[in-house]
Short mmCIF file of all heavy atoms in Angstrom, two decimals:
data_model
loop_
_atom_site.label_atom_id
_atom_site.label_comp_id
_atom_site.label_asym_id
_atom_site.label_seq_id
_atom_site.Cartn_x
_atom_site.Cartn_y
_atom_site.Cartn_z
N VAL A 140 43.82 5.27 -246.13
CA VAL A 140 44.08 4.76 -247.48
C VAL A 140 42.80 4.84 -248.31
O VAL A 140 41.73 4.39 -247.87
CB VAL A 140 44.55 3.29 -247.45
CG1 VAL A 140 44.79 2.77 -248.87
CG2 VAL A 140 45.83 3.17 -246.63
N THR A 141 42.91 5.41 -249.48
CA THR A 141 41.82 5.34 -250.46
C THR A 141 42.40 4.93 -251.79
O THR A 141 43.52 5.32 -252.14
CB THR A 141 41.05 6.68 -250.58
OG1 THR A 141 39.90 6.47 -251.41
CG2 THR A 141 41.92 7.77 -251.17
N VAL A 142 41.66 4.09 -252.48
CA VAL A 142 42.13 3.52 -253.73
C VAL A 142 41.23 3.96 -254.88
O VAL A 142 40.01 3.77 -254.82
CB VAL A 142 42.17 1.98 -253.67
CG1 VAL A 142 42.74 1.41 -254.98
CG2 VAL A 142 43.00 1.50 -252.48
N VAL A 143 41.83 4.55 -255.90
CA VAL A 143 41.11 4.83 -257.13
C VAL A 143 41.14 3.57 -257.97
O VAL A 143 42.22 3.12 -258.36
CB VAL A 143 41.76 5.99 -257.92
CG1 VAL A 143 40.97 6.27 -259.20
CG2 VAL A 143 41.85 7.24 -257.05
N PRO A 144 39.99 2.92 -258.20
CA PRO A 144 40.01 1.68 -258.98
C PRO A 144 40.67 1.87 -260.33
O PRO A 144 40.53 2.92 -260.97
CB PRO A 144 38.52 1.33 -259.12
CG PRO A 144 37.87 1.99 -257.95
CD PRO A 144 38.63 3.26 -257.74
N ALA A 145 41.41 0.87 -260.74
CA ALA A 145 42.17 0.96 -261.98
C ALA A 145 41.28 1.21 -263.18
O ALA A 145 41.72 1.79 -264.19
CB ALA A 145 42.99 -0.31 -262.18
N ASN A 146 40.02 0.80 -263.11
CA ASN A 146 39.12 0.94 -264.26
C ASN A 146 38.33 2.24 -264.23
O ASN A 146 37.42 2.44 -265.04
CB ASN A 146 38.15 -0.24 -264.34
CG ASN A 146 37.26 -0.35 -263.10
OD1 ASN A 146 37.46 0.38 -262.13
ND2 ASN A 146 36.31 -1.26 -263.13
N VAL A 147 38.65 3.14 -263.28
CA VAL A 147 37.96 4.43 -263.20
C VAL A 147 38.79 5.46 -263.94
O VAL A 147 39.93 5.74 -263.60
CB VAL A 147 37.76 4.87 -261.73
CG1 VAL A 147 37.23 6.30 -261.67
CG2 VAL A 147 36.81 3.92 -261.03
N HIS A 148 38.21 6.03 -264.98
CA HIS A 148 38.88 7.06 -265.77
C HIS A 148 37.94 8.23 -265.95
O HIS A 148 36.72 8.07 -266.09
CB HIS A 148 39.28 6.52 -267.15
CG HIS A 148 40.20 5.34 -267.07
ND1 HIS A 148 41.53 5.45 -266.76
CD2 HIS A 148 39.96 4.01 -267.24
CE1 HIS A 148 42.09 4.26 -266.75
NE2 HIS A 148 41.15 3.36 -267.05
N SER A 149 38.48 9.39 -265.93
CA SER A 149 37.67 10.59 -266.08
C SER A 149 37.35 10.84 -267.54
O SER A 149 38.21 10.75 -268.41
CB SER A 149 38.41 11.80 -265.50
OG SER A 149 37.69 12.98 -265.79
N GLY A 150 36.08 11.15 -267.80
CA GLY A 150 35.71 11.54 -269.14
C GLY A 150 35.73 13.04 -269.33
O GLY A 150 35.41 13.56 -270.40
N MET A 151 36.13 13.77 -268.27
CA MET A 151 36.15 15.22 -268.34
C MET A 151 37.58 15.73 -268.23
O MET A 151 38.30 15.38 -267.28
CB MET A 151 35.32 15.80 -267.19
CG MET A 151 33.86 15.38 -267.20
SD MET A 151 32.98 15.99 -265.74
CE MET A 151 33.22 17.77 -265.91
N PRO A 152 38.05 16.49 -269.15
CA PRO A 152 39.41 17.03 -269.09
C PRO A 152 39.61 17.84 -267.82
O PRO A 152 38.72 18.57 -267.38
CB PRO A 152 39.49 17.91 -270.34
CG PRO A 152 38.42 17.39 -271.25
CD PRO A 152 37.33 16.91 -270.36
N GLY A 153 40.75 17.68 -267.23
CA GLY A 153 41.09 18.47 -266.05
C GLY A 153 40.65 17.89 -264.73
O GLY A 153 40.94 18.46 -263.68
N VAL A 154 39.93 16.78 -264.75
CA VAL A 154 39.49 16.16 -263.50
C VAL A 154 40.56 15.20 -263.02
O VAL A 154 40.98 14.30 -263.75
CB VAL A 154 38.15 15.42 -263.68
CG1 VAL A 154 37.78 14.69 -262.40
CG2 VAL A 154 37.06 16.41 -264.07
N ASN A 155 41.01 15.38 -261.82
CA ASN A 155 42.10 14.57 -261.25
C ASN A 155 41.55 13.84 -260.03
O ASN A 155 41.38 14.43 -258.96
CB ASN A 155 43.28 15.48 -260.86
CG ASN A 155 44.49 14.68 -260.40
OD1 ASN A 155 44.36 13.67 -259.71
ND2 ASN A 155 45.68 15.14 -260.77
N PHE A 156 41.24 12.54 -260.21
CA PHE A 156 40.66 11.77 -259.12
C PHE A 156 41.60 11.69 -257.93
O PHE A 156 41.16 11.79 -256.77
CB PHE A 156 40.30 10.36 -259.60
CG PHE A 156 39.05 10.30 -260.42
CD1 PHE A 156 39.11 10.09 -261.78
CD2 PHE A 156 37.79 10.48 -259.84
CE1 PHE A 156 37.96 10.03 -262.54
CE2 PHE A 156 36.64 10.43 -260.59
CZ PHE A 156 36.72 10.21 -261.96
N GLU A 157 42.89 11.50 -258.19
CA GLU A 157 43.84 11.38 -257.09
C GLU A 157 43.86 12.65 -256.25
O GLU A 157 43.85 12.60 -255.01
CB GLU A 157 45.23 11.07 -257.62
CG GLU A 157 45.43 9.64 -258.07
CD GLU A 157 44.95 9.39 -259.50
OE1 GLU A 157 44.34 10.33 -260.09
OE2 GLU A 157 45.17 8.29 -260.01
N GLU A 158 43.86 13.81 -256.89
CA GLU A 158 43.91 15.07 -256.16
C GLU A 158 42.61 15.29 -255.38
O GLU A 158 42.63 15.76 -254.23
CB GLU A 158 44.15 16.23 -257.12
CG GLU A 158 44.27 17.59 -256.43
CD GLU A 158 45.39 17.63 -255.40
OE1 GLU A 158 46.41 16.93 -255.59
OE2 GLU A 158 45.24 18.35 -254.39
N GLN A 159 41.48 14.95 -255.96
CA GLN A 159 40.21 15.08 -255.25
C GLN A 159 40.21 14.23 -253.99
O GLN A 159 39.77 14.67 -252.92
CB GLN A 159 39.05 14.67 -256.16
CG GLN A 159 38.74 15.65 -257.27
CD GLN A 159 37.60 15.16 -258.15
OE1 GLN A 159 37.26 13.98 -258.16
NE2 GLN A 159 37.00 16.08 -258.91
N ARG A 160 40.69 13.01 -254.12
CA ARG A 160 40.70 12.12 -252.95
C ARG A 160 41.72 12.57 -251.92
O ARG A 160 41.50 12.42 -250.72
CB ARG A 160 40.97 10.69 -253.41
CG ARG A 160 39.83 10.12 -254.24
CD ARG A 160 39.88 8.63 -254.38
NE ARG A 160 38.69 8.15 -255.07
CZ ARG A 160 38.15 6.96 -254.89
NH1 ARG A 160 38.68 6.12 -254.02
NH2 ARG A 160 37.06 6.59 -255.55
N ARG A 161 42.81 13.13 -252.38
CA ARG A 161 43.80 13.62 -251.42
C ARG A 161 43.23 14.76 -250.59
O ARG A 161 43.46 14.82 -249.37
CB ARG A 161 45.06 14.07 -252.19
CG ARG A 161 46.26 14.35 -251.30
CD ARG A 161 47.52 14.50 -252.12
NE ARG A 161 47.95 13.21 -252.65
CZ ARG A 161 47.89 12.86 -253.92
NH1 ARG A 161 47.39 13.71 -254.81
NH2 ARG A 161 48.29 11.67 -254.32
N ARG A 162 42.48 15.63 -251.22
CA ARG A 162 41.86 16.72 -250.46
C ARG A 162 40.83 16.18 -249.46
O ARG A 162 40.73 16.67 -248.33
CB ARG A 162 41.19 17.72 -251.42
CG ARG A 162 42.17 18.55 -252.21
CD ARG A 162 41.48 19.78 -252.82
NE ARG A 162 40.42 19.39 -253.75
CZ ARG A 162 40.59 19.24 -255.05
NH1 ARG A 162 41.81 19.42 -255.58
NH2 ARG A 162 39.58 18.93 -255.84
N ALA A 163 40.09 15.16 -249.88
CA ALA A 163 39.11 14.57 -248.96
C ALA A 163 39.81 13.92 -247.76
O ALA A 163 39.35 14.06 -246.61
CB ALA A 163 38.27 13.54 -249.70
N LEU A 164 40.90 13.22 -248.01
CA LEU A 164 41.63 12.60 -246.90
C LEU A 164 42.20 13.65 -245.96
O LEU A 164 42.29 13.42 -244.73
CB LEU A 164 42.77 11.72 -247.43
CG LEU A 164 42.38 10.40 -248.11
CD1 LEU A 164 43.64 9.56 -248.35
CD2 LEU A 164 41.39 9.61 -247.27
N ASP A 165 42.58 14.80 -246.48
CA ASP A 165 43.11 15.86 -245.62
C ASP A 165 42.04 16.34 -244.65
O ASP A 165 42.35 16.74 -243.52
CB ASP A 165 43.62 17.02 -246.47
CG ASP A 165 44.97 16.73 -247.12
OD1 ASP A 165 45.65 15.80 -246.66
OD2 ASP A 165 45.31 17.42 -248.11
N GLN A 166 40.77 16.31 -245.06
CA GLN A 166 39.70 16.68 -244.13
C GLN A 166 39.59 15.64 -243.01
O GLN A 166 39.42 16.01 -241.84
CB GLN A 166 38.37 16.78 -244.89
CG GLN A 166 38.35 17.90 -245.92
CD GLN A 166 37.05 17.94 -246.71
OE1 GLN A 166 36.18 17.10 -246.53
NE2 GLN A 166 36.91 18.93 -247.58
N TYR A 167 39.69 14.36 -243.36
CA TYR A 167 39.70 13.32 -242.33
C TYR A 167 40.90 13.48 -241.41
O TYR A 167 40.80 13.30 -240.20
CB TYR A 167 39.75 11.94 -242.97
CG TYR A 167 38.54 11.51 -243.76
CD1 TYR A 167 38.63 10.48 -244.69
CD2 TYR A 167 37.31 12.10 -243.58
CE1 TYR A 167 37.52 10.06 -245.42
CE2 TYR A 167 36.19 11.70 -244.30
CZ TYR A 167 36.31 10.68 -245.22
OH TYR A 167 35.22 10.27 -245.93
N ARG A 168 42.04 13.80 -242.00
CA ARG A 168 43.27 13.95 -241.22
C ARG A 168 43.08 14.95 -240.09
O ARG A 168 43.50 14.71 -238.95
CB ARG A 168 44.42 14.39 -242.13
CG ARG A 168 45.72 14.65 -241.36
CD ARG A 168 46.64 15.60 -242.12
NE ARG A 168 47.17 14.98 -243.31
CZ ARG A 168 48.33 14.29 -243.33
NH1 ARG A 168 49.04 14.17 -242.22
NH2 ARG A 168 48.76 13.77 -244.46
N THR A 169 42.43 16.08 -240.39
CA THR A 169 42.24 17.11 -239.38
C THR A 169 41.47 16.59 -238.17
O THR A 169 41.84 16.84 -237.02
CB THR A 169 41.49 18.31 -240.00
OG1 THR A 169 42.24 18.83 -241.09
CG2 THR A 169 41.26 19.40 -238.97
N VAL A 170 40.40 15.82 -238.43
CA VAL A 170 39.60 15.27 -237.35
C VAL A 170 40.40 14.26 -236.53
O VAL A 170 40.37 14.28 -235.29
CB VAL A 170 38.33 14.60 -237.92
CG1 VAL A 170 37.55 13.87 -236.82
CG2 VAL A 170 37.45 15.63 -238.61
N ILE A 171 41.13 13.40 -237.21
CA ILE A 171 41.83 12.32 -236.51
C ILE A 171 43.04 12.86 -235.74
O ILE A 171 43.32 12.41 -234.62
CB ILE A 171 42.25 11.23 -237.53
CG1 ILE A 171 40.99 10.61 -238.15
CG2 ILE A 171 43.08 10.14 -236.86
CD1 ILE A 171 41.28 9.69 -239.31
N GLU A 172 43.74 13.83 -236.31
CA GLU A 172 44.85 14.44 -235.57
C GLU A 172 44.34 15.17 -234.33
O GLU A 172 45.00 15.14 -233.28
CB GLU A 172 45.60 15.41 -236.48
CG GLU A 172 46.47 14.72 -237.52
CD GLU A 172 47.23 15.68 -238.40
OE1 GLU A 172 46.79 16.86 -238.52
OE2 GLU A 172 48.26 15.28 -238.97
N ALA A 173 43.16 15.77 -234.43
CA ALA A 173 42.59 16.45 -233.25
C ALA A 173 42.27 15.47 -232.14
O ALA A 173 42.23 15.84 -230.97
CB ALA A 173 41.33 17.22 -233.66
N ALA A 174 42.06 14.18 -232.52
CA ALA A 174 41.80 13.14 -231.51
C ALA A 174 43.09 12.59 -230.93
O ALA A 174 43.04 11.69 -230.07
CB ALA A 174 40.98 12.02 -232.14
N GLY A 175 44.24 13.07 -231.38
CA GLY A 175 45.51 12.70 -230.77
C GLY A 175 46.34 11.69 -231.52
O GLY A 175 47.33 11.19 -230.97
N PHE A 176 45.99 11.38 -232.76
CA PHE A 176 46.72 10.39 -233.54
C PHE A 176 47.68 11.06 -234.53
O PHE A 176 47.41 12.15 -235.03
CB PHE A 176 45.76 9.50 -234.33
CG PHE A 176 44.83 8.68 -233.49
CD1 PHE A 176 43.58 9.17 -233.12
CD2 PHE A 176 45.20 7.41 -233.05
CE1 PHE A 176 42.71 8.43 -232.35
CE2 PHE A 176 44.33 6.65 -232.28
CZ PHE A 176 43.09 7.16 -231.92
N ASP A 177 48.78 10.36 -234.81
CA ASP A 177 49.57 10.71 -235.97
C ASP A 177 48.88 10.13 -237.20
O ASP A 177 48.34 9.01 -237.14
CB ASP A 177 50.99 10.13 -235.86
CG ASP A 177 51.78 10.75 -234.73
OD1 ASP A 177 51.56 11.93 -234.43
OD2 ASP A 177 52.61 10.04 -234.13
N VAL A 178 48.88 10.84 -238.30
CA VAL A 178 48.14 10.41 -239.48
C VAL A 178 49.02 10.48 -240.72
O VAL A 178 49.74 11.47 -240.93
CB VAL A 178 46.88 11.28 -239.71
CG1 VAL A 178 46.10 10.79 -240.92
CG2 VAL A 178 45.99 11.27 -238.46
N GLU A 179 48.96 9.43 -241.51
CA GLU A 179 49.56 9.43 -242.84
C GLU A 179 48.49 9.06 -243.85
O GLU A 179 47.62 8.24 -243.56
CB GLU A 179 50.74 8.44 -242.92
CG GLU A 179 51.90 8.81 -242.01
CD GLU A 179 53.10 7.92 -242.23
OE1 GLU A 179 53.26 7.41 -243.37
OE2 GLU A 179 53.88 7.73 -241.28
N THR A 180 48.54 9.69 -245.02
CA THR A 180 47.52 9.44 -246.03
C THR A 180 48.15 8.79 -247.26
O THR A 180 49.31 9.04 -247.60
CB THR A 180 46.81 10.73 -246.45
OG1 THR A 180 47.76 11.65 -246.99
CG2 THR A 180 46.10 11.36 -245.26
N HIS A 181 47.36 7.94 -247.92
CA HIS A 181 47.82 7.21 -249.10
C HIS A 181 46.70 7.23 -250.14
O HIS A 181 45.60 6.74 -249.87
CB HIS A 181 48.16 5.76 -248.76
CG HIS A 181 49.09 5.60 -247.60
ND1 HIS A 181 50.45 5.40 -247.76
CD2 HIS A 181 48.87 5.60 -246.26
CE1 HIS A 181 51.02 5.29 -246.57
NE2 HIS A 181 50.07 5.40 -245.64
N VAL A 182 46.96 7.80 -251.28
CA VAL A 182 46.03 7.75 -252.40
C VAL A 182 46.71 6.95 -253.50
O VAL A 182 47.76 7.36 -254.01
CB VAL A 182 45.66 9.16 -252.91
CG1 VAL A 182 44.70 9.05 -254.11
CG2 VAL A 182 45.03 9.99 -251.80
N VAL A 183 46.14 5.83 -253.84
CA VAL A 183 46.78 4.93 -254.80
C VAL A 183 45.74 4.47 -255.82
O VAL A 183 44.54 4.65 -255.65
CB VAL A 183 47.41 3.70 -254.09
CG1 VAL A 183 48.55 4.12 -253.18
CG2 VAL A 183 46.35 2.93 -253.30
N ARG A 184 46.21 3.86 -256.88
CA ARG A 184 45.34 3.36 -257.94
C ARG A 184 45.54 1.86 -258.08
O ARG A 184 46.67 1.37 -257.98
CB ARG A 184 45.63 4.07 -259.26
CG ARG A 184 44.74 3.64 -260.41
CD ARG A 184 45.04 4.43 -261.66
NE ARG A 184 44.51 5.78 -261.60
CZ ARG A 184 43.29 6.12 -261.98
NH1 ARG A 184 42.46 5.20 -262.46
NH2 ARG A 184 42.88 7.37 -261.89
N GLY A 185 44.48 1.12 -258.32
CA GLY A 185 44.60 -0.31 -258.51
C GLY A 185 43.35 -1.02 -258.02
O GLY A 185 42.28 -0.44 -257.89
N THR A 186 43.50 -2.31 -257.73
CA THR A 186 42.41 -3.10 -257.16
C THR A 186 42.35 -2.82 -255.67
O THR A 186 43.34 -3.06 -254.97
CB THR A 186 42.63 -4.60 -257.41
OG1 THR A 186 42.76 -4.82 -258.82
CG2 THR A 186 41.47 -5.42 -256.87
N PRO A 187 41.22 -2.32 -255.13
CA PRO A 187 41.22 -1.84 -253.74
C PRO A 187 41.77 -2.82 -252.72
O PRO A 187 42.68 -2.47 -251.95
CB PRO A 187 39.74 -1.51 -253.51
CG PRO A 187 39.27 -1.06 -254.85
CD PRO A 187 39.96 -1.97 -255.82
#
């Protein structure tokens, strides 16, 4: 689980915080699945 704080907004057009974090979690997923776990990822916005 990773949370984009509700008060975090991009000042640059085209920057998608949720998508950036989703890609980062996918890198973690690869490592954890290789260790034998089932993995689900959650990228959400709000108070962490």
Side-chain angles (χ1 to χ4, degrees):
V140 179
T141 188
V142 183
V143 180
N146 61 353
V147 172
H148 301 285
S149 173
M151 300 175 59
V154 175
N155 186 321
F156 283 108
E157 284 84 353
E158 182 58 32
Q159 289 178 342
R160 293 196 174 209
R161 191 168 288 110
R162 289 197 298 268
L164 288 190
D165 284 342
Q166 295 177 357
Y167 293 161
R168 176 203 291 269
T169 300
V170 173
I171 297 171
E172 285 181 338
F176 298 91
D177 294 328
V178 181
E179 295 187 28
T180 60
H181 308 262
V182 179
V183 295
R184 182 177 284 272
T186 303

